Amino acid sequence: MSDFSSLPYFERNENQYVPTKLARGGWGPKISGHAIGGLLGWAVERAVDDLELQPARLTVDLFAPTAMEPVEVHTSVRHERRRLRLVEAVLTQHGTAVARASALFLRRGAQPEGRVWSTPFEMPERPVEHDGASLFMRTYGWGMELQNPDPAWDNTPGPKYTWVCETHALIGGEPFTPFTRAAMAGDVTAAIANWGTEALQFINVDYTLTLSRLPDGPHIGLASHTHYSHDGVANGSASLVDHKGPIGTAVAVALAQSGFRPRTKL
């Protein structure tokens, strides 16, 4: 496919999803975690036909390297009650499970009165459109030459912030949903929480995204809050926001790993 602007992460071939070169991540010739998370999020959302059920939690386990080869997704409803539905999805390659997701959907209702304290933070401005093209990711990204540099993303300690705006379809011919955008953004938590003086030295093996509401608009921001690591095992957290304000949080678990090479072109 020569037209980069129309390239999706995956092309559908009957019951298989074939990764394009856009799906390659920064840890070698493997499908990126945020593409895998997006595909699993898309699958669990399709298993819920009640629009009043809010996707409140998504946990993605990235327990095996996923080659740049076709994958299949299998979903099942594990538990269903009036106010909740628990859905699981398994990503397989050559008949072997390589990733898994669990999603909890909760029924929306009346908001209680009163206010509850939450940690305040301030995001940088959302990236602007440039030459008619939306930015894929503020300050760093994979698969796009267009960048919006920010001095907060050098190799010095300190909190990191980024805005994500997916400009390519996840699956060819399938429109993006707000939840799928959030599912893909949640994977970025490991990068912004674990980025240090030697760039990114941890590879995430899972992430959990929680949402109080769905994002409004294509831009999703992340603000890192914590990083803890000892003996090569790390965890980190971030808040997710849209243009209206906070929408949820994410936490990622990672292992020490060298060799991260973010791509700047296909």
Side-chain angles (χ1 to χ4, degrees):
M1 185 180 299
S2 58
D3 183 4
F4 175 79
S5 64
S6 64
L7 190 68
Y9 286 89
F10 297 95
E11 294 283 8
R12 191 167 187 171
N13 181 16
E14 295 182 350
N15 65 331
Q16 292 189 324
Y17 301 89
V18 183
T20 70
K21 53 187 177 181
L22 185 66
R24 176 172 172 164
W27 296 100
K30 309 296 180 185
I31 301 176
S32 70
H34 92 293
I36 292 172
L39 189 58
L40 288 167
W42 174 83
V44 297
E45 186 178 29
R46 284 170 58 89
V48 177
D49 55 3
D50 189 337
L51 296 180
E52 290 305 310
L53 287 173
Q54 156 77 30
R57 191 266 299 160
L58 174 71
T59 297
V60 176
D61 292 307
L62 305 166
F63 50 80
T66 307
M68 291 287 292
E69 299 175 9
V71 296
E72 296 183 7
V73 186
H74 308 274
T75 61
S76 60
V77 176
R78 306 299 295 176
H79 194 67
E80 184 172 4
R81 299 181 63 183
R82 186 180 66 85
R83 299 185 67 188
L84 65 82
R85 191 172 303 178
L86 180 64
V87 182
E88 292 184 357
V90 178
L91 193 76
T92 63
Q93 196 167 63
H94 305 298
T96 300
V98 292
R100 178 179 288 108
S102 171
L104 182 65
F105 293 75
L106 300 179
R107 187 167 300 282
R108 298 179 182 92
Q111 176 70 5
E113 295 182 359
R115 294 182 296 174
V116 180
W117 180 87
S118 184
T119 305
F121 63 93
E122 184 175 354
M123 287 290 296
E125 292 295 322
R126 279 181 296 155
V128 297
E129 301 237 326
H130 181 76
D131 294 333
S134 295
L135 291 173
F136 165 65
M137 190 177 293
R138 182 182 174 90
T139 71
Y140 78 103
W142 298 274
M144 292 286 282
E145 293 182 354
L146 185 61
Q147 301 291 312
N148 188 7
D150 188 304
W153 270 93
D154 56 19
N155 293 348
T156 58
K160 301 295 187 294
Y161 308 86
T162 192
W163 284 96
V164 179
C165 180
E166 297 290 348
T167 58
H168 294 252
L170 176 65
I171 303 167
E174 291 281 347
F176 254 121
T177 69
F179 179 61
T180 304
R181 288 186 182 277
M184 296 183 76
D187 177 75
V188 181
T189 300
I192 68 169
N194 297 324
W195 195 283
T197 57
E198 300 298 323
L200 187 57
Q201 296 288 321
F202 293 92
I203 184 171
N204 61 319
V205 294
D206 82 359
Y207 68 92
T208 293
L209 167 70
T210 62
L211 294 172
S212 60
R213 64 174 174 85
L214 292 172
D216 182 63
H219 289 88
I220 298 176
L222 293 96
S224 65
H225 291 312
T226 63
H227 164 86
Y228 307 115
S229 59
H230 300 88
D231 299 326
V233 176
N235 64 76
S237 65
S239 289
L240 277 74
V241 306
D242 62 9
H243 70 100
K244 295 180 178 179
I247 62 173
T249 59
V251 61
V253 175
L255 287 169
Q257 178 89 357
S258 61
F260 178 71
R261 298 292 184 271
R263 296 185 297 114
T264 57
K265 61 182 179 178
L266 292 177

